[in-house]
Amino acid sequence: MSDMLDSAIETKEHLVANLRRVIADAEDLLSATAGQTDSKMAELRARAKDNLLLAREKLADAEAAMRARARQAATATDDYVHENPWSSIGAAAALGILVGVLLGRR
C-alpha cells in the first residue's frame, strides 16, 4: 500500500511540476508579446494574465490539499499499525506469501 501511495504522490508531484512549467512558459510568452499594442492582443494578454493568476492560485491550493491528504494517510496508517501490530504483521506476511507464490509460478 505504501508503494501505491508513494506512486500516487510522485505522479501528482510530476503533474504539479508540469503545470508549473506551463505557467512559466505562458508568463514568458506574455512578456515576449508585451511590446505589441494591438487592442485585440492587449485584451488577450489581460485575459491570459488573469487566467494564469487563477491557475497559480488553484495549483497552490491543490498542492496544499495533496500534501494534507498524504499526511493524513500516513498518520492513519501509522496509528493503525501501532494499535494493531499483529494484524499488520499478519497482513504483510500474507501479502508476502501471495507475491512469492505468484512469482514462483513463473
Side-chain angles (χ1 to χ4, degrees):
M1 174 140 160
S2 178
D3 289 338
M4 286 181 16
L5 181 61
D6 290 342
S7 177
I9 291 171
E10 185 176 324
T11 301
K12 288 180 181 182
E13 287 175 352
H14 284 298
L15 178 62
V16 168
N18 288 339
L19 285 174
R20 286 184 191 273
R21 276 194 295 261
V22 167
I23 290 171
D25 289 345
E27 287 174 341
D28 290 343
L29 181 61
L30 283 175
S31 297
T33 60
Q36 297 183 2
T37 58
D38 183 21
S39 65
K40 183 80 170 169
M41 181 60 87
E43 179 185 329
L44 288 173
R45 288 186 75 249
R47 272 197 336 213
K49 194 172 189 176
D50 291 342
N51 287 334
L52 281 172
L53 288 174
L54 182 63
R56 187 173 286 218
E57 289 172 6
K58 287 188 178 201
L59 180 61
D61 292 344
E63 189 175 7
M66 177 185 67
R67 289 178 195 262
R69 275 186 258 136
R71 258 188 249 113
Q72 283 178 335
T75 301
T77 302
D78 187 54
D79 290 344
Y80 179 81
V81 169
H82 281 86
E83 291 172 6
N84 305 300
W86 291 109
S87 297
S88 302
I89 290 170
L95 184 62
I97 290 170
L98 178 65
V99 170
V101 167
L102 291 174
L103 289 176
R105 287 185 163 181
R106 288 182 148 187

